[in-house]
């Protein structure tokens, strides 16, 4: 990034001369967190300077909106601030992204909402669509996070609004979360790739799954991963059309859960694959062992294993 | 149209609007003195969400918060108290907010004289009223040091004070002092410790006149109330001009500030006077 932080100057800045940065991706400030910070600043003052750039006679925030708000609230006259050279629009955004990727993380959706603007500005600068790697280098976000953001960018606006509302609550009370949508979107993408005919209308499927989650029919967002496993039925030798039927049943407005669909279809097949994988690993390990060095405890366990295997194979 | 909040988090804007609208409707606030997130005094280190001058010259402050009594408000309350500012502070929270220490925080707010209200889109409920913070530093009454028969009325007076009607609270203490002094005068007359040469009607004569006459003619040795010295009687005589003064309405905020400071002192010294009088006349079981 061209903006050189070493050129920044530390100053005591009048609180009433500071404006928030309209490009700040952070949209959600949780009241209880702000109250805690307020008390800390009241007692100890602002310990970490905010970052700003000068705009005429005023200053625009790059980093430290919560500290600034608390200072305003506490009727403080000044706040310590690093005054940086004025960045261009892309640098302005990237500065904020980089500062936060190294510190307390913003809510993922707020990053996802701002990412298209970063992509647009980067595209103008690079004269091409930025790759995931370039985006990662420029924003300081890791690639997995960028992929997660991209999933969130694609969900309809009504769900984004719903998440934003939920984000205002304390973390412990949030139910309809970004992670829920990320798991759901990943699962639906897998189904679309493997069995496109099962999802004629993605939005109605989303609606049904969300309803089931809210009602507790789906009781964990992790269960969405099993939708992807059902869609990849052929990889474990399960019949594709049977799996598709289970998914269609799951995507209908009823009380059929993901776990039921999983157990009634590919559950056993995945279990068997899991056993096969583990047995292969075990066999590889056993080949490296000298029989004369076997401890009695291990021998006992292996005998238990032999007995169980005999039962299974004779049955 | 919603007000412009610079500091308050968006999640609480609706709570702010609902609480301000509630007070405007129920308290008849003057819109022109309305301030959003502005300091009420340059030396008070907190800008409440909303402040406005009330019809009775108090500054009504509404602090919109996520919890019942956030820690940072203690400093605000102390600041107003130290400066004798006639501020009534209410914390507005959303209805149905659950927090682990809800009851304790509600109690803390009440003890600090801070009002609490819950609002939703349709209604507002004041859980308890705010007290003028200039009065919240009033010394609590040591109720056990009084005879049992007076404890109830003293408790009532203390609650009246804390519930925001200090003139009435002072008046209640003065009533008790006056009534017990008249009982004393009646007893002193019947036992001939006080001759009542002026034929004053003990039940209806001016209280000041009664004190002056008793002071002049009381046989202190005979009644065994040596502590009722002329200095003590002068102290009692000193409260009589305020006896009916406490209900007068101040004309502006400056007068209110002055009155509140006086009322706090008057209330405390009236309680002390009552205590001392009862101690001095203890053997008479008034």
């Amino acid at each position: 990034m061209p903006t050189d932080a070493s050129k920044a100057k530390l100053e005591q800045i009048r609180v009433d001369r500071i404006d928030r940065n309209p490009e700040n991706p952070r949209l959600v400030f949780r009241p209880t967190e702000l109250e805690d910070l307020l008390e800390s600043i009241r007692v100890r003052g602002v310990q970490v300077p905010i970052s700003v750039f000068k705009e005429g006679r005023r200053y625009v925030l790059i980093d430290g909106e919560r500290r600034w708000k608390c200072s305003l609230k506490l009727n403080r006259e000044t706040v310590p601030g690093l005054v940086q050279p004025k960045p261009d629009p892309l640098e302005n955004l990237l500065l904020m992204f980089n500062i936060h990727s190294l510190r307390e993380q913003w809510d993922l959706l707020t990053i996802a909402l701002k990412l298209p603007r970063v992509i647009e500005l980067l595209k103008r600068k690079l004269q091409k669509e930025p790759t995931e790697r370039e985006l990662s280098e420029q924003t300081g976000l890791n690639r997995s996070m960028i992929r997660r953001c991209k999933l969130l960018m694609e969900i309809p606006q009504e769900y984004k609004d719903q998440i934003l509302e939920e984000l205002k609550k304390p973390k412990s009370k949030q139910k309809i979360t970004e992670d829920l949508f990320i798991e759901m979107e990943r699962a639906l993408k897998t189904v679309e790739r493997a069995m496109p005919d099962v999802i004629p209308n993605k939005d109605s499927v989303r609606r049904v799954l969300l309803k089931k989650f809210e009602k507790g029919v789906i009781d964990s967002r992790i269960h969405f991963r099993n939708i992807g496993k059902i869609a990849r039925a052929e990889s474990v030798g399960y019949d594709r059309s049977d799996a598709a039927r289970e998914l269609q049943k799951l995507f209908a407005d009823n009380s059929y859960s993901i776990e039921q669909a999983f157990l009634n279809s590919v559950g056993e097949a995945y279990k068997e694959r899991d056993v096969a994988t583990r047995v292969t690993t075990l066999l590889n390990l056993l080949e490296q062992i000298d029989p004369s060095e076997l401890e009695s405890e291990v021998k006992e366990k292996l005998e238990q294993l032999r007995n169980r295997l005999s039962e299974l194979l004779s049955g | 149209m919603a007000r412009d909040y610079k500091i308050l988090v968006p999640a609480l804007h609706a709570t702010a609007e609902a609480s301000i609208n509630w007070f405007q409707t129920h308290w008849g606030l003057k819109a022109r003195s309305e301030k959003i997130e502005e300091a009420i005094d340059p030396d008070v280190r907190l800008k409440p969400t909303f402040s406005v001058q009330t019809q009775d010259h108090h500054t009504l402050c509404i602090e919109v918060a996520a919890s019942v009594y956030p820690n940072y408000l203690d400093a605000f309350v102390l600041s107003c108290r130290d400066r004798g500012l006639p501020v009534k502070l209410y914390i507005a929270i959303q209805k149905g907010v659950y927090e682990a220490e809800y009851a304790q925080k509600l109690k803390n707010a009440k003890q600090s004289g801070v009002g609490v209200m819950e609002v939703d889109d349709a209604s507002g409920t004041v859980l308890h009223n705010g007290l003028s913070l200039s009065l919240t530093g009033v010394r609590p009454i040591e109720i056990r040091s009084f005879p049992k028969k007076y404890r109830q009325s003293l408790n009532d007076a203390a609650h009246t004070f804390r519930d925001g009607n200090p003139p009435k609270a002072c008046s209640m203490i003065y009533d008790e002092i006056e009534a017990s002094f008249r009982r004393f005068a009646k007893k002193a007359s019947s036992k001939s410790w006080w001759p009542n040469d002026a034929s004053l009607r003990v039940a209806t004569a001016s209280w000041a006149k009664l004190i002056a006459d008793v002071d002049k003619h009381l046989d202190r040795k005979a009644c065994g109330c040596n502590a009722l010295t002329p200095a003590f009687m002068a102290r009692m005589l000193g409260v009589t001009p305020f006896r009916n003064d406490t209900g007068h309405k101040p004309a502006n905020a400056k007068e209110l500030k002055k009155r509140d400071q006086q009322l706090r002192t008057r209330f405390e010294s009236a309680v002390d006077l009552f205590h001392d009088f009862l101690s001095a006349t203890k053997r008479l079981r008034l």
Side-chain angles (χ1 to χ4, degrees):
Chain A
M1 278 186 302
T3 303
D4 184 357
S6 65
K7 286 180 186 162
K9 281 194 301 179
L10 181 64
E11 290 178 20
Q12 285 292 330
I13 304 165
R14 285 188 63 88
V15 174
D16 57 5
R17 284 208 184 156
I18 300 170
D19 296 313
R20 82 176 289 271
N21 194 323
E23 293 282 20
N24 187 358
R26 185 168 201 160
L27 295 173
V28 179
F29 294 91
R30 276 178 276 280
T32 42
E33 290 170 11
L34 214 59
E35 282 173 11
D36 292 343
L37 182 62
L38 200 69
E39 177 62 2
S40 157
I41 290 178
R42 188 186 71 75
V43 176
R44 300 181 202 286
V46 175
Q47 294 289 310
V48 180
I50 61 170
S51 287
V52 294
F53 64 83
K54 213 162 177 183
E55 182 90 313
R57 288 171 56 83
R58 299 187 65 80
Y59 297 86
V60 179
L61 275 169
I62 296 169
D63 173 45
E65 186 163 338
R66 293 191 312 158
R67 278 165 282 164
W68 167 65
K69 275 181 182 243
C70 289
S71 301
L72 258 180
K73 178 85 184 165
L74 290 167
N75 199 16
R76 296 174 79 91
E77 283 184 15
T78 60
V79 62
L82 284 167
V83 184
Q84 308 212 13
K86 186 181 173 181
D88 68 28
L90 178 61
E91 285 169 30
N92 180 23
L93 258 174
L94 294 179
L95 263 172
M96 287 187 279
F97 267 94
N98 276 275
I99 288 165
H100 280 272
S101 64
L102 296 173
R103 275 216 329 258
E104 181 203 3
Q105 196 50 256
W106 287 324
D107 295 308
L108 206 59
L109 181 70
T110 60
I111 302 175
L113 292 176
K114 216 61 187 179
L115 210 53
R117 171 95 173 123
V118 176
I119 293 171
E120 179 203 317
L121 290 170
L122 262 179
K123 198 169 157 185
R124 250 186 256 167
K125 185 184 166 190
L126 303 171
Q127 301 286 317
K128 67 172 188 75
E129 192 77 31
T131 62
E132 214 168 84
R133 207 169 102 187
E134 284 164 336
L135 258 181
S136 169
E137 281 169 3
Q138 294 289 328
T139 57
L141 304 171
N142 63 44
R143 291 170 71 176
S144 136
M145 191 174 285
I146 290 172
R147 276 194 291 270
R148 285 156 63 84
C149 284
K150 282 185 170 173
L151 282 171
L152 286 175
M153 280 158 60
E154 288 170 15
I155 64 172
Q157 188 59 40
E158 62 171 303
Y159 298 123
K160 289 177 187 165
D161 294 342
Q162 200 177 346
I163 299 173
L164 275 177
E165 273 307 306
E166 198 77 6
L167 283 174
K168 292 173 186 170
K169 299 178 186 170
K171 286 258 183 214
S172 59
K173 289 181 184 164
Q174 293 172 11
K175 198 172 178 205
I176 306 296
T177 60
E178 299 144 316
D179 286 341
L180 169 71
F181 275 94
I182 289 169
E183 292 290 351
M184 186 165 72
E185 290 303 306
R186 267 189 191 146
L188 294 183
K189 264 186 189 295
T190 309
V191 179
E192 275 180 325
R193 269 197 305 268
M195 300 178 175
D197 45 318
V198 172
I199 304 184
N201 181 345
K202 196 172 176 179
D203 210 34
S204 71
V205 174
R206 276 193 193 107
R207 221 174 285 279
V208 166
L209 292 175
L210 266 182
K211 194 173 159 190
K212 287 188 178 185
F213 185 78
E214 281 171 331
K215 279 183 164 178
V217 174
I218 300 170
D219 55 10
S220 165
R221 63 170 189 265
I222 305 297
H223 290 172
F224 283 96
R225 292 178 191 177
N226 286 343
I227 293 181
K229 286 183 179 172
I230 302 172
R232 290 191 303 266
E234 283 174 303
S235 70
V236 284
Y238 190 80
D239 185 74
R240 185 185 184 279
S241 56
D242 285 349
R245 249 194 313 280
E246 283 301 317
L247 284 177
Q248 275 160 345
K249 191 174 170 187
L250 175 65
F251 296 158
D253 193 359
N254 51 31
S255 56
Y256 197 54
S257 71
I258 296 176
E259 279 314 273
Q260 284 171 308
F262 182 72
L263 291 174
N264 291 341
S265 55
V266 294
E268 203 61 34
Y270 273 99
K271 202 188 285 175
E272 282 173 16
R273 192 177 75 171
D274 192 30
V275 169
T277 312
R278 284 166 200 258
V279 168
T280 310
T281 311
L282 181 65
L283 285 172
N284 288 339
L285 265 174
L286 293 176
E287 273 170 25
Q288 295 165 26
I289 293 176
D290 181 349
S292 61
E293 288 174 2
L294 267 182
E295 298 280 342
S296 59
E297 199 183 335
V298 180
K299 263 186 187 167
E300 200 180 311
K301 289 281 171 200
L302 285 174
E303 270 174 21
Q304 277 177 20
L305 179 65
R306 184 171 59 190
N307 294 340
R308 180 65 189 139
L309 288 175
S310 303
E311 278 170 31
L312 281 174
L313 294 172
S314 63
Chain B
M1 202 176 71
R3 291 160 185 85
D4 186 21
Y5 303 99
K6 204 172 181 179
I7 308 171
L8 187 70
V9 296
L12 295 177
H13 286 191
T15 309
E17 287 298 303
S19 57
I20 296 168
N21 292 342
W22 188 92
F23 275 101
Q24 281 183 331
T25 308
H26 291 81
W27 284 36
L29 303 176
K30 297 171 202 161
R32 64 193 153 89
S33 67
E34 178 178 311
K35 289 177 182 171
I36 299 292
E37 298 174 335
E38 282 186 39
I40 56 159
D41 183 287
D43 294 325
V44 173
R45 294 281 165 225
L46 189 87
K47 294 176 178 176
T49 311
F50 175 85
S51 62
V52 69
Q53 292 303 309
T54 62
Q55 307 281 1
D56 62 357
H57 313 297
H58 280 88
T59 303
L60 166 70
C61 296
I62 304 174
E63 177 63 7
V64 180
S67 56
V68 176
Y69 188 43
N71 293 338
Y72 63 82
L73 281 179
D74 271 338
F76 179 80
V77 171
L78 283 174
S79 229
C80 293
R81 191 186 286 181
D82 292 348
R83 286 167 183 77
L85 299 178
V87 168
K88 287 184 180 175
L89 171 65
Y90 282 81
I91 301 164
I93 53 168
Q94 213 161 8
K95 226 171 230 178
V97 164
Y98 170 78
E99 49 179 329
E101 296 165 338
Y102 183 87
Q104 184 57 45
K105 284 186 170 184
L106 206 60
K107 198 174 158 192
N108 293 348
K110 186 158 188 175
Q111 277 173 351
S112 304
V114 176
V116 177
M117 81 173 308
E118 286 186 334
V119 288
D120 60 14
D121 294 342
S123 62
T125 311
V126 172
L127 301 183
H128 62 254
N129 277 311
L131 178 65
S132 178
L133 294 182
S134 55
L135 302 165
T136 52
V138 69
R139 177 163 33 92
I141 301 175
E142 284 180 36
I143 225 81
R144 284 166 186 243
S145 66
F146 285 85
K148 280 184 181 165
K149 65 188 275 195
Y150 297 110
R151 289 182 190 173
Q152 178 67 51
S153 54
L154 284 167
N155 257 326
D156 290 348
H159 280 121
T160 304
F161 194 96
R162 296 200 63 80
D163 285 347
N165 196 348
K168 171 89 175 142
C170 288
S171 181
M172 288 163 81
I173 302 288
Y174 290 147
D175 281 349
E176 289 296 336
I177 302 174
E178 184 179 341
S180 54
F181 186 81
R182 287 184 192 277
R183 280 197 295 278
F184 167 72
K186 195 177 167 190
K187 199 159 203 170
S189 173
S190 68
K191 301 268 182 187
S192 303
W193 300 328
W194 168 55
N196 194 5
D197 295 335
S199 299
L200 293 171
R201 297 177 74 172
V202 173
T204 53
S206 135
W207 185 26
K209 262 189 191 170
L210 198 62
I211 296 171
D213 201 78
V214 170
D215 179 30
K216 207 169 172 184
H217 303 291
L218 180 70
D219 183 347
R220 291 177 168 84
K221 208 171 175 184
C223 76
C225 303
N226 291 330
L228 293 182
T229 59
F232 183 88
M233 299 300 257
R235 200 173 136 206
M236 185 168 286
L237 197 59
V239 304
T240 57
F242 306 126
R243 177 69 185 81
N244 298 312
D245 182 45
T246 49
H248 298 162
K249 279 190 177 177
N252 52 45
K254 199 175 162 188
E255 270 187 30
L256 175 67
K257 186 177 168 183
K258 197 175 154 195
R259 189 208 68 169
D260 278 358
Q261 280 170 342
Q262 286 173 344
L263 284 176
R264 187 177 143 182
T265 313
R266 272 185 213 168
F267 184 80
E268 289 172 352
S269 49
V271 172
D272 290 345
L273 177 66
F274 189 34
H275 183 266
D276 293 348
F277 180 68
L278 293 175
S279 304
T281 57
K282 195 173 178 182
R283 62 177 289 269
L284 305 179
R285 295 177 181 268
L286 294 174

